[in-house]
Amino acid sequence: MMYYFSFDWQKWLKKILRVIGNTGLNVFILYWCGAVFYDGPFGQANLWNALLAIVWLTAMALAWRKLQLRWQQVVSVFALSLVVIIPWSFIQPSNDKQWAQGFEKTGHVTIEGDLVTFHNFRDFDYTKEGVVNPVWTSRQVHLSKLKGMDIFHDRFLGNLMAHPILSYDFGDDGHICLSIETRREVGEKFTPVAGLYKVFELQYIFASEEDIVRVRTNIRKEPVFLYKSAVNIDEVRELFISSVKVQNELLVKPQFYNVINANCTTSIRNQIPKDRQSPFDIRMLVNGLLDKYLYEKGSIVSQGLSYKELRDRCQIDKAAQVAHDDPEFSKRVREGRPGQE
């Protein structure tokens, strides 16, 4: 006796396409529901915004369920979406808001020949008890003295999320840190979900290591690692100049931070010419293991150590806490680190 198996591929293809379509529609609706919640007229993640989002979501669900014809459902979803998308598209970034401490000033840089001058350079001081002495100043270095770059890797959420900080080494002119951050208003808190919307402006902060590193190692008590970049000096100089250019552009044309395409990692990648960009890696977004990605690419000095050995050798938060008030803070956190002089 023979058995024949009949497979109705057209039926299954329709089911698969329906699942994909419904999933895409649900993601679309949930995203714009989030836009109402975070970017609505009553303030970030406000209770009234939450109620407004519920009303909008309820209207969307009722339109989909009550209307019988598919074209009516599609038109209703489209119309209700426009109610959110049109006003949302008019929300513009700004440099003129009530900024939280640490974000009050908009920095910019001038280059005259070999002399580089940082205006509104952040150099906050912190006591061991966490008292902040806010200092905004100017700082000068010579471009010809740029000899390398270090990378601080602040793993504030472990393997999930981290914050990379570039530190440009200008020899006896000292180190200049670049921290790419969300520029937050008074009362705003960073969350990755809020970073999907128009909640935070993007800010390039040039600052001293005593400020930008100590606040993480000594005040927030976060695990921080220091790596020596293996990138050649010409590319380091190019990255520095492009970072200056972006900061100056943000002074006259602010833009929003975005957790996907304009965060602390992808913003740096965006500065690299497209023909030289590495293929996208998920660790550029979920960047707690960004240092492992850089290790695998050979972009940081390892001196033959395994990734685990290198990471253990490069953790500097304890050394930074010991050197809290040391006038040679930068030197102390580098002692014994692979690749450091």
Side-chain angles (χ1 to χ4, degrees):
M1 181 179 294
M2 298 183 63
Y3 295 91
Y4 294 93
F5 176 72
S6 177
F7 179 73
D8 189 345
W9 65 269
Q10 290 182 327
K11 176 182 177 182
W12 282 99
L13 180 60
K14 288 180 180 178
K15 286 185 177 181
I16 292 171
L17 291 176
R18 188 179 299 115
V19 170
I20 294 174
N22 289 338
T23 301
L25 178 62
N26 288 332
V27 170
F28 175 84
I29 291 173
L30 286 175
Y31 178 82
W32 290 109
C33 185
V36 177
F37 180 60
Y38 284 106
D39 294 325
F42 301 109
Q44 177 195 346
N46 186 280
L47 175 61
W48 291 106
N49 274 354
L51 293 174
L52 192 61
I54 291 172
V55 170
W56 181 81
L57 191 59
T58 301
M60 188 74 75
L62 287 174
W64 189 259
R65 287 183 174 275
K66 296 296 184 181
L67 297 174
Q68 300 298 317
L69 300 178
R70 178 53 60 94
W71 73 266
Q72 293 176 327
Q73 294 173 329
V74 171
V75 169
S76 297
V77 168
F78 179 73
L80 286 168
S81 298
L82 289 181
V83 170
V84 176
I85 294 173
I86 290 176
W88 185 85
S89 66
F90 284 96
I91 300 174
Q92 298 297 318
S94 172
N95 284 328
D96 300 318
K97 294 183 178 180
Q98 294 297 316
W99 302 113
Q101 187 179 63
F103 306 105
E104 306 97 325
K105 304 288 186 179
T106 307
H108 66 284
V109 180
T110 55
I111 300 179
E112 298 175 350
D114 190 40
L115 187 64
V116 181
T117 303
F118 299 89
H119 305 275
N120 288 330
F121 181 85
R122 213 179 84 177
D123 191 21
F124 284 23
D125 190 25
Y126 306 89
T127 68
K128 292 182 178 180
E129 295 74 28
V131 177
V132 183
N133 177 29
V135 178
W136 295 92
T137 184
S138 61
R139 176 82 179 269
Q140 292 185 325
V141 297
H142 294 84
L143 188 58
S144 60
K145 293 185 178 182
L146 180 62
K147 65 176 187 177
M149 182 178 72
D150 294 331
I151 303 169
F152 289 94
H153 189 55
D154 173 18
R155 298 174 72 243
F156 64 94
L157 282 182
N159 290 343
L160 184 61
M161 289 196 72
H163 181 66
I165 300 164
L166 304 183
S167 183
Y168 295 101
D169 184 358
F170 285 89
D172 58 12
D173 279 350
H175 291 83
I176 300 292
C177 272
L178 170 62
S179 183
I180 302 172
E181 304 189 17
T182 57
R183 191 175 191 183
R184 300 188 292 277
E185 298 175 60
V186 174
E188 281 187 339
K189 302 293 183 183
F190 172 76
T191 68
V193 177
L196 290 168
Y197 299 99
K198 295 182 176 182
V199 175
F200 312 114
E201 273 75 7
L202 179 69
Q203 187 169 28
Y204 273 48
I205 300 175
F206 283 106
S208 66
E209 289 187 347
E210 290 78 5
D211 174 352
I212 218 76
V213 175
R214 277 195 306 171
V215 71
R216 290 168 167 83
T217 57
N218 297 21
I219 307 306
R220 301 177 190 169
K221 308 294 184 183
E222 295 169 349
V224 178
F225 303 79
L226 171 62
Y227 301 101
K228 183 72 175 178
S229 172
V231 176
N232 70 67
I233 188 60
D234 290 333
E235 292 181 1
V236 170
R237 186 178 292 106
E238 183 180 0
L239 184 60
F240 172 73
I241 295 297
S242 67
S243 299
V244 166
K245 180 181 178 181
V246 173
Q247 191 194 50
N248 288 345
E249 288 173 349
L250 291 175
L251 176 67
V252 295
K253 189 178 180 181
Q255 70 178 75
F256 285 113
Y257 171 95
N258 186 277
V259 76
I260 295 177
N261 57 24
N263 67 13
C264 55
T265 305
T266 54
S267 289
I268 296 173
R269 184 172 186 266
N270 292 340
Q271 293 174 214
I272 301 172
K274 291 189 180 299
D275 61 339
R276 300 213 315 262
Q277 289 180 1
S278 300
F280 177 80
D281 189 285
I282 190 61
R283 288 170 291 188
M284 295 176 185
L285 295 182
V286 187
N287 58 4
L289 291 175
L290 179 67
D291 56 348
K292 187 175 183 181
Y293 166 73
L294 295 175
Y295 172 86
E296 292 170 357
K297 283 187 67 214
S299 297
I300 53 179
V301 175
S302 66
Q303 293 183 337
L305 298 173
S306 69
Y307 167 66
K308 185 180 183 306
E309 291 171 332
L310 181 65
R311 189 175 64 174
D312 291 343
R313 287 271 300 275
C314 288
Q315 187 162 1
I316 56 99
D317 38 288
K318 290 183 180 178
Q321 291 162 17
V322 171
H324 184 93
D325 293 320
D326 196 314
E328 294 189 317
F329 176 85
S330 292
K331 180 180 179 180
R332 297 293 173 251
V333 299
R334 283 174 168 77
E335 290 176 344
R337 313 299 161 192
Q340 303 292 338
E341 297 178 357

